[in-house]
Amino acid sequence: MKNAENRIGRRRRRKRRRRRRRRRGRRRRNQQSLHLPEEIIEEILSILPVKSLLRFRCVSKTWWSLIGSKRFIKAHHQNSIKNPSSPHQRLITLGECSLQSLLSEAPISRYSLEITTLLAPLQIWGCCNGLFCVLSERPERVYLWNPSTRTSKKLPEISSPGHVRNYGFGWVESSDEYKVFVLLVDYDYYRGIDNWVGKVYSSKTKSWKTIELSGYLRVSWGRGVFAGGKLYWKNHQDKEIIFLDLKNEVFGRIELPCDQDMYGIVDVLGGFLCVLCFNDQITGIRGIRVWVMKESWEKVVTLSHLLELLQPPMVKCLNGDILVYCGSFVLVYDCRDNVFCKLNIISHCVYVESLVSPEDL
């Protein structure tokens, strides 16, 4: 009886061992069949949204190192810009949403945004490569902020006194360097004089320095638009555009493409400097002509509606349409049918998300 029980026990143990070996064999075969070359894995990851990549860093140490490498971050951002089917273009409002999701279905007015207070106390100074330069009002501090990765970095305080009059944020491609420009004005009402100081922060030196303002005129207040390594402001007095070359940190000027009797607003469209020329009523021609600077000025479209309400910024959509701003609301302009469609959102800025971390700058 005991020998029979022992034989039965041995058979059961052999069966369990065979089942375990079969399961291990199936797992090994599955792992082998699912194995992909590293370059294929990297190519697949480089087209995914930032939110997914932040989760996938926990898959392995290899993926953590890959997703955080400068080479991958650059490749991912380039794919986000070039691929028209990618959902990486996003809209900063009281919350965030994918611009593609807003434009992919109709009616657009049915979409609502996730409400957040991220930008409530902040003033946007500029956006580049998915990074924002923002000014916190209470207390007054300048930050670099990536809304996609939820990371930020506080910049050193500006030592010069005065009120901020002009500002801008951009990137120097040749040196992979981010720069912030601030023009400070210190008024002395008793003596009747004012002191103008230009400051530039560099992500390489991690400090502010004073730059020469020769050639810089008192242009319109506010943010300079960034395109092609330069910051641009409209000079209303001389009907020209003043720019700051961020690489050399020197100022220059270019003429407007429209007539002197017309009012122009500087903006960026499709990554290029553009100007919105509002026709003067004296000419009898109504419309907003949009000019883009490539090799030279080129007229790309004429908007003929809501002249008194349209304002920058303008954004070129994935399907070729143009986002224009009307008061505090956003409209989609269909260039083919010459019609507008309203988005029921209050927008601040459109950007392409990236993995660039302010903490590494």
Side-chain angles (χ1 to χ4, degrees), residues 139-261:
E140 192 171 275
R141 295 287 187 273
V142 182
Y143 292 85
L144 296 183
W145 172 54
N146 187 330
S148 301
T149 61
R150 308 296 185 188
T151 56
S152 63
K153 176 182 179 179
K154 183 174 69 173
L155 302 188
E157 293 187 25
I158 305 174
S159 57
S160 300
H163 301 284
V164 175
R165 189 183 192 278
N166 293 89
Y167 45 84
F169 173 62
W171 176 58
V172 181
E173 183 176 5
S174 59
S175 59
D176 192 21
E177 184 177 10
Y178 292 87
K179 292 188 176 182
V180 182
F181 168 75
V182 179
L183 177 68
L184 300 168
V185 183
D186 187 19
Y187 295 100
D188 189 335
Y189 293 99
Y190 295 101
R191 299 171 60 186
I193 60 175
D194 49 27
N195 182 35
W196 297 64
V197 178
K199 290 282 188 177
V200 170
Y201 172 85
S202 168
S203 62
K204 292 290 185 181
T205 62
K206 295 179 173 52
S207 61
W208 295 90
K209 74 173 183 179
T210 304
I211 64 171
E212 179 63 41
L213 293 177
S214 60
Y216 181 85
L217 302 181
R218 301 184 181 186
V219 298
S220 56
W221 288 68
R223 180 174 66 189
V225 299
F226 174 73
K230 298 181 178 67
L231 293 171
Y232 296 90
W233 294 267
K234 173 69 173 60
N235 189 335
H236 293 300
Q237 295 179 347
D238 296 333
K239 305 292 184 179
E240 62 184 2
I241 299 173
I242 302 296
F243 66 84
L244 170 63
D245 189 328
L246 291 177
K247 180 179 179 180
N248 304 317
E249 298 177 355
V250 294
F251 290 92
R253 63 189 70 193
I254 57 177
E255 294 184 358
L256 287 172
C258 46
D259 298 335
Q260 295 295 311
D261 294 334

Side-chain angles (χ1 to χ4, degrees), residues 69-80 171 173 176 355-356:
S69 65
K70 291 184 177 180
R71 177 177 56 83
F72 179 84
I73 291 174
K74 183 177 181 180
H76 176 267
H77 188 64
Q78 290 299 319
N79 287 338
S80 302
W171 176 58
E173 183 176 5
D176 192 21
L355 289 163
V356 179

Side-chain angles (χ1 to χ4, degrees), residues 232 254-255 257 269 271-275 291-298 300:
Y232 296 90
I254 57 177
E255 294 184 358
L269 184 63
F272 296 97
L273 173 69
C274 79
V275 173
W291 297 79
V292 172
M293 170 60 82
K294 295 183 179 179
E295 297 296 331
S296 59
W297 287 111
E298 301 177 9
V300 293

Side-chain angles (χ1 to χ4, degrees), residues 23-40:
R23 284 196 295 267
R24 285 196 294 266
R26 283 196 296 268
R27 283 197 295 266
R28 282 195 294 267
R29 287 192 296 271
N30 290 337
Q31 291 173 356
Q32 292 173 358
S33 63
L34 292 176
H35 176 72
L36 293 174
E38 293 183 2
E39 55 271 18
I40 300 299

